């Protein structure tokens, strides 16, 4: 099939090429026809995260340009985990890794097309690793890896003083073997991953050369960092997970909405499929009027729709608008309003004896320091229940006021609000 000859230029413009094995050779290979490539995801957690999303969208870009993806879920490598600079990983049980493998597989699948002339293929390295004997592994794979080169890897050097197990030290052999296996069985000649994987990527290229005399390619995407150079992908609750059960679509949307002005252009280029002209025009408008946060709004909508779908994006936007009095709270799903209020701040109240009155709710939620202050604020017209102004200081909400069966939304003034969940 025909391929897009501008792919590599587009990847460079988007800032997605941190390293390549041979830029000219890679460009020539991508221009000749559909290249079979692979990218791997180790199930070392129950969900993929922001860093993995870079690889998912990059894989889709390659497939959209006419190349053929092999998405590898590391049922074997996930039992070990790539060495981290922070220290030795805790090894997970086989059952845990199997469960996480299926979860990761289900998260990868929506990003690729599994039908058509360059249909994607899903593979699991456990299939060719589990039955491999130690002797065969050492003779066929280990003999191609000089120890001095393995010691030169940055992450290994940083761990030598504190200590690194032979298990993690040998991880590069397993990932390189994956590339060799896919090269032999499927003709895969390109691998990519994050720049922290560069030693593993080049290890596979070198193994193919040594074991088969073959030519393979690799490139690495950069790590995404904040303007101050620290790692991106963290929220108040932890990693920026792609699983909606671990991070709600509302919180996910809010993360992108709060992107730094200095980084929003980079994030648009990395994570969205908007064309270059549209992104550049958006960046120009943002430079003129950053206070409008137009770029952040487009970024949040595009990435949330990509990961969670348009319906969840609409719900997240409606929730944010409704919480500040600009929309209908009753039209939101219970899950969305719960996620929004938990993100913004909420309290649990024992509703066994009935729903407390508005004065008690204001003090319990922290919107008023005392009952006297609560009464005065109601009397001044500054209190809203579910976006309706409260005029009666003795108001006791009814069960029909509960959103999603258990939530009340209190607001004091224009910007201070809190969720109250009745238990």
């Amino acid at each position: 099939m025909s391929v897009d000859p501008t792919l590599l230029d587009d990847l460079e413009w988007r800032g997605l090429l941190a390293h390549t094995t041979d830029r000219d050779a890679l460009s020539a290979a991508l221009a000749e026809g559909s290249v079979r490539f692979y990218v791997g995801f180790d199930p070392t957690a129950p969900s993929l995260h922001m860093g993995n999303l870079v690889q998912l969208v990059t894989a889709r870009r390659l497939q959209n340009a006419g190349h053929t993806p092999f998405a590898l879920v590391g049922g074997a490598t996930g039992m070990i985990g790539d060495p981290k600079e922070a220290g030795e990983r805790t090894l997970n049980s086989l059952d845990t890794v199997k469960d996480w493998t299926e979860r990761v597989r289900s998260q990868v699948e929506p990003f690729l097309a599994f039908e058509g002339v360059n249909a994607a293929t899903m593979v699991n390295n456990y299939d060719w690793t589990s039955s491999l004997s130690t002797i065969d592994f050492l003779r066929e794979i280990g003999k191609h890896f000089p120890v001095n080169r393995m010691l030169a890897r940055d992450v290994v050097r940083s761990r030598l003083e504190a200590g690194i197990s032979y298990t993690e030290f040998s991880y590069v052999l397993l990932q390189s073997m994956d590339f060799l296996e896919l090269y032999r069985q499927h003709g895969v000649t390109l691998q990519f991953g994050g720049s922290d994987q560069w030693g593993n990527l080049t290890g596979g290229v070198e193994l193919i050369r040594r074991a088969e005399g073959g030519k393979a390619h690799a490139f690495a995407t950069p790590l995404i960092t904040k303007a101050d150079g620290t790692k991106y992908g963290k929220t108040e609750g932890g990693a920026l997970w792609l699983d909606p059960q671990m991070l709600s679509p509302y919180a996910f949307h809010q993360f992108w909405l709060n992107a730094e002005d200095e980084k929003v252009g980079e994030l648009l280029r990395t994570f969205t499929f908007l064309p270059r002209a549209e992104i550049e025009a958006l960046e120009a408008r943002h430079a003129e009027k950053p206070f409008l946060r137009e770029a952040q709004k487009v970024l949040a909508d595009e990435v949330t729709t990509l990961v969670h779908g348009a319906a969840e994006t609409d719900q997240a936007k409606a929730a944010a608008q409704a919480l500040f009095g600009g929309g209908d709270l009753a039209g939101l799903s219970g899950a969305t309003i719960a996620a929004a209020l938990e993100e913004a701040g909420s309290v649990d109240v024992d509703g066994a004896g009935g729903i407390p009155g508005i004065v008690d709710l204001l003090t319990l939620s922290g919107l008023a320091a005392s009952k006297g202050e609560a009464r005065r604020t109601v009397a001044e017209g500054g209190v809203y229940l579910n976006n309706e102004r409260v005029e009666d200081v003795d108001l006791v909400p009814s069960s029909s006021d509960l959103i999603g069966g258990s939530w009340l939304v209190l607001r004091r003034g224009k910007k201070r609000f809190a969720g109250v969940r009745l238990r």
Side-chain angles (χ1 to χ4, degrees), residues 78-155:
M79 296 190 68
I80 294 172
D82 197 22
K84 299 186 300 181
E85 290 187 5
E88 200 78 12
R89 291 178 181 269
T90 300
L91 297 181
N92 296 302
S93 69
L94 178 59
D95 287 342
T96 296
V97 174
K98 283 184 176 179
D99 175 49
W100 290 356
T101 297
E102 290 308 308
R103 293 191 188 197
V104 168
R105 176 194 292 268
S106 68
Q107 289 181 333
V108 172
E109 285 177 340
F111 286 85
L112 299 170
F114 287 83
E115 296 180 353
V117 291
N118 62 327
T121 301
M122 189 77 72
V123 294
N124 183 344
N125 59 17
Y126 190 78
D127 294 340
W128 58 78
T129 305
S130 59
S131 61
L132 184 66
S133 75
T134 303
I135 294 298
D136 289 340
F137 176 69
L138 292 174
R139 283 176 59 86
E140 296 184 17
I141 305 299
K143 69 177 181 178
H144 295 298
F145 284 83
V147 171
N148 60 321
R149 290 189 60 183
M150 295 173 68
L151 289 170
R153 295 180 65 210
D154 289 342
V155 68

Side-chain angles (χ1 to χ4, degrees), residues 242-368:
L242 305 189
D243 186 333
Q245 301 303 314
M246 295 176 67
L247 184 73
S248 70
Y250 175 86
F252 188 86
H253 188 268
Q254 286 290 308
F255 170 84
W256 300 99
L257 202 58
N258 291 317
E260 300 160 294
D261 288 331
E262 305 94 322
K263 301 293 287 187
V264 67
E266 175 187 326
L267 297 175
L268 281 164
R269 292 190 295 274
T270 299
F271 290 103
T272 78
F273 289 85
L274 297 174
R276 178 172 182 168
E278 189 172 339
I279 291 176
E280 289 178 340
L282 189 56
E283 287 182 290
R285 295 196 299 273
H286 176 75
E288 290 181 5
K289 298 180 179 179
F291 57 89
L292 294 178
R293 301 190 71 76
E294 181 188 0
Q296 282 90 342
K297 292 173 184 176
V298 172
L299 173 68
D301 291 356
E302 288 288 324
V303 182
T304 306
T305 299
L306 178 68
V307 175
H308 296 298
E312 290 291 357
T313 301
D314 290 342
Q315 280 276 305
K317 292 167 68 177
Q321 186 177 23
L323 287 178
F324 290 100
D328 180 17
L329 287 164
L332 300 174
S333 70
T336 298
I337 195 65
L341 292 172
E342 286 170 357
E343 185 77 8
S346 63
V347 294
D348 287 349
V349 172
D350 184 3
I355 301 174
I358 191 67
V359 169
D360 288 329
L361 288 171
L362 287 169
T363 56
L364 288 168
S365 66
L367 290 180

